[in-house]
Amino acid sequence: MNKIQDKDEKNKRRKRAILSALPALGMMTVIFIFSSKNAEQSNATSSPFAETALKAYEGLFGNDSLQQNSFSFIHHLVRKAAHMTEYGILAILIAFHLKVCKVSGWKLFGISSVASITYAATDEFHQLFVPGRSGQLSDVMIDGAGAVLGAAFFYLATQIYSARHHKHNQFGSISE
């Protein structure tokens, strides 16, 4: 390769790295915006999901099986599931960026997990300054569980893809 081609390739890699970071940065922004809502606004966001879950539960098991505080319990579960989901997605997006930057294997899993958990800790700290909200270590742990599951999902998906792709390249396709 000559120097011009080498420089062009470096610029392409740099551009891909920057573009691949944008989805993770977007997710971090979404998380920050949700965490900036005061307690009343935050509850208003998750209440419709809890109401839908409660109606589904009533449809499956009937009203007789419900306790008086069922809505608050289901609302709590919906909120925690949302925490796990958003940090699982964040970990996947960070892992995608790392994969584009040629990080792979356990290093990819570890970095995406730790980066997501670190962001969860900073998010809980941020919530200490939002009216009606509080930073909870238990939430960092729930967020972290979602992050580890997301990173594990991405890691396993890439391992399966690589194994199938390698096998396909090694033996050729069936139609050959």
Side-chain angles (χ1 to χ4, degrees):
M1 246 195 239
N2 65 35
K3 288 184 182 185
I4 293 173
Q5 288 174 325
D6 206 25
K7 187 176 179 181
D8 284 345
E9 187 59 35
K10 277 185 179 180
N11 286 336
K12 285 180 185 177
R13 282 194 307 260
R14 186 178 300 125
K15 188 175 184 179
R16 279 193 300 265
I18 290 168
L19 290 175
S20 70
L22 294 178
L25 293 172
M27 187 64 188
M28 290 173 162
T29 302
V30 167
I31 291 170
F32 183 84
I33 290 168
F34 278 126
S35 293
S36 297
K37 293 181 176 185
N38 66 34
E40 189 176 305
Q41 293 168 323
S42 180
N43 283 332
T45 301
S46 56
S47 288
F49 295 101
E51 289 169 7
T52 301
L54 184 61
K55 286 178 186 173
Y57 182 87
E58 288 172 347
L60 289 171
F61 302 107
N63 292 353
D64 298 340
S65 64
L66 295 176
Q67 300 292 326
Q68 203 166 10
N69 60 355
S70 294
F71 178 77
S72 62
F73 176 71
I74 289 175
H75 189 250
H76 179 76
L77 289 179
V78 164
R79 292 177 66 82
K80 299 311 166 190
H83 274 260
M84 285 186 76
T85 302
E86 66 188 8
Y87 281 93
I89 292 169
L90 177 61
I92 289 168
L93 295 173
I94 291 172
F96 171 75
H97 168 67
L98 293 170
K99 187 76 171 168
V100 168
C101 294
K102 306 292 186 207
V103 177
S104 60
W106 289 106
K107 192 173 182 180
L108 180 139
F109 171 78
I111 293 171
S112 58
S113 294
V114 169
S116 298
I117 293 167
T118 301
Y119 191 74
T122 64
D123 182 54
E124 290 301 316
F125 179 73
H126 162 238
Q127 288 182 36
L128 292 173
F129 304 99
V130 178
R133 303 288 295 269
S134 61
Q136 303 287 325
L137 181 60
S138 60
D139 279 349
V140 175
M141 294 173 75
I142 290 167
D143 299 343
V148 168
L149 288 171
F153 172 80
F154 188 88
Y155 172 77
L156 290 172
T158 57
Q159 294 298 309
I160 290 167
Y161 175 81
S162 293
R164 286 186 177 167
H165 186 69
H166 177 71
K167 183 178 179 182
H168 177 75
N169 286 343
Q170 184 178 5
F171 298 110
S173 66
I174 295 172
S175 61
E176 289 183 335

